Amino acid sequence: MMKQYREARQSLEDDTLLLFRLGDFYEMFEKDAEEGAALLGITLTKRHEMPMAGIPSHAAETYLSKLLAQGKKVAICDQLESPKPGKLVKRGITRILTPGTVLEDRQLEASHNHFLLALDLDKKGARAAWLDLSTGKFALSNQASPGDLFSVLHSLSPREVLMPESLGRRLEMMENGKALADDIDRALGDITRTERPDFDFDQRSGAREVMESLGVMNLEGFGIDLEHSALGPAGAVLVYAQDVLKGKPGNLNRIEEYRAGAALLLDPATQRNLEIFRTSAQTRKGSLLDCMDGTVSPAGARLVESFLARPERDLSEIRRRQASVLEFSQTPRAVEEVRTTLRQGADLERILGRLRNRVVRPRELGGLRATIRGLPAIRQTLTSLGEDYPAIQNLAGQVELFEDLTGLLNRALEEELPAEIKLDVKGEGGRVIRAGYNEEFDRLRDLAGGGKRWILELEAAERAQTGISNLKVKYNGAFGYFIEVTKANLHLVPEHYVRKQTMTNAERFYTDELRTKEKEILNAEEQTVAKEQELFEEVVHHALEHADGLAAVARVLAELDVFSSWGAILRERDYCIPQFVENSRELWIEQGRHPVVEMVLKTESLGLAGTHAFVPNDTNLSSSDEQLCLITGPNMAGKSTYIRQVALITLMAQVGSGVPAKACRLGLVDRIFSRVGAGDELARGNSTFMVEMNETANILNNCTADSLIVLDEIGRGTSTYDGLSIAWAVVEHLHGKEQEGPKTLFATHYHELTRLAENLPRLKNYSVAVKEWNDEIIFVRQVTPGSSERSFGIQVARLAGLPDGVVDRAKQILASLEESDSTASPLVTKGDEPATGGAFVQAANPKPKRVAPRVDPSQLELF
Ligand code: ADP
Ligand code: MG
């Protein structure tokens, strides 16, 4: 047995833990045992000086998840046959699990895609390929500017990344290698990285590998050239997957090219800053994703995530989604019916992934059956809505019913299915295939069952013959069947009993008759199990003949889940469907709200109407008119919230969902950039001024007149004059001398910047209004034209609980400073006077109606 172990161990990489099946346990030995015991917090034992640590096989999945979560790779060496008395069992490595290649349900986060990604880059640019083995999603991309690719990688948040061995060295030799290495670190964070040989990334062999895996002669059907440089990483992904799966991935049938031009790009900093997938505290709760995910199925949740990771720039696709969402919002009954059915189904996409990758178990087919049984109901619900719902009819048309397959699964499989087919010989098999499905199988099962009856009869007969009333006929794995007689009754044992084993209180015997029958029964049982396995595999095979159709239906079900839940959200949260205008560079929002902050305020108000309600605000940007809005106002006024809400609404619009506004009209945006001045990111640890400037440079170099830029307190990370000068120059640059520039929202506490409006025609000043009341400050949360002169820092400081003495002294100092400063602008928003801002408002420019201020002193409680 140890020889088997050594052979298995030698075939593996050093960093892979080996779990070796011994009876009911998976054992680790030697170094593996020491490391595994530490990672899992289990006991380390020693046998003949050899360290050992074991986990019970029934709990293996839990322990495996733990190891994978800590970034380990694990190989499973299993028993390949059922144990026979007195014979060494055949064993072999059946699977290697790595963070990026797992297929088991429990090790996969249901609502999240699970990508294995390979990345390579050189002077010509960066290239990557990514594969979700659990669903068969496979894509590649190359970008001349590596940063664009890193944005994509970040939004995919892969589980494991493969890189060529030589990459680190090559980066060191490249001119901007250090910066690139930093970018990679920032985009990948602490994702498990695995180095692979350089030749795995070879472009030509990659192309061959991809064609072979997809079973095609060329890649024209996917619109991918055979010279595509990302076929190198694609090959690396496939070779690795084969290594760990011990066979070719079975569920690949397409590969897509991810083209940056077809999607709205969000770089990693923007994704973090807008808290799209995670909050700054790294939680999903509180992110835009969480706020937009109202789905009821894991596949639906994954689709929301991938929609958000790749907002569209294809207007027809956006309009298709919008139409479906709008129609669902008009029929809550259909939404409820669809969701009820979806909840009863299983994760079809992942079941297909497992079936095609040879993880074949009864419960997979059970899940498949449950899902396709629901299809007629869903189609019925959708078609009964009729022609008034054309987008929904379009979806209904894609819901294929698979009646033949449902029939087969109903006929062949029991209603209650065990997790797996038992290979042991105690007759545990026989619970998967339904009686009446196959004559031969029914006959064998009867025989095996009859055998057990015979044992009972034998026990009764032997008791009668010998007069031993507690005589037992028993079975165990090592000795097979035997007759057991207690010590007290040994004198009654007849001559023809042959002694087999001595126990403390009993002796075990066999007879010729028992031996012959034992063989017959074991045979019948083994044959039953084998036949059942064979029949089951046939059923799986039939099911897989429909794999492409099933995958397509899985996709439609996921879309139905997303669109119906967005329909419900549209209705319940009072969102609107934005109207896209072709070739427009306008962004007009009436009474927009921040989707996440609004939800938080709603929960905090505990349903009390009117308290802490979110105050909507309008937006009117256009690259050729009000291109650059400078927003001033005191701390806590709502500047950051406001500018982010504009970015989020734009993003949500291009994803195809409704948006939190009364009305919205806009042209397609090519990129959204969002940056916060260094101070706000201190929590992340790398908030140096350098990072802030790096990121700002990236914006200035990459934005176009089609972009939307949201800058929050840029320049704050350095001394006042430095910061002001940089902010000043950045604003000038973004405004530019041309007729058009990127739509920009710039929140700042540098009031001096408001003077720029005098020279820059497309710059407009806004402020977030506050009111003074008895020397206290009340937040109105209203964005009004004009600039705010004062920052009300002292009032905010008092709200925060600074001692009265300090507050009073600060006021004195401020007063004397203000007296000596003659440049103060007359534009102060005070008391009830609305900030009409005189010269700063362009009367010629008609603006959407603004909401009346709602002053609510109870808002103060929030802070
Ligand atoms: P600033 O950037 O001006 O310092 P923030 O945007 O961070 O202010 O807003 C501070 C707090 O005010 C937010 O956390 C939020 O709870 C609240 N807030 C902001 N905008 C609104 C609004 N429009 N309606 C209601 N509450 C708001
Ligand atoms: Mg702020």
Side-chain angles (χ1 to χ4, degrees), residues 597 601 613-615 617 634-641 781 863:
V597 176
L601 292 186
F614 193 90
V615 181
N617 275 297
N635 263 319
M636 291 302 291
K639 300 183 296 298
S640 303
T641 308
R781 312 281 181 224
F863 315 108

Side-chain angles (χ1 to χ4, degrees), residues 103 133-136 250-251 347-359:
L103 293 168
L133 272 173
S134 70
T135 61
N251 55 334
D347 196 342
L348 194 52
E349 231 181 354
R350 284 199 165 149
I351 287 179
L352 284 172
R354 283 194 287 269
L355 290 180
R356 286 164 142 185
N357 284 312
R358 296 169 297 278
V359 182

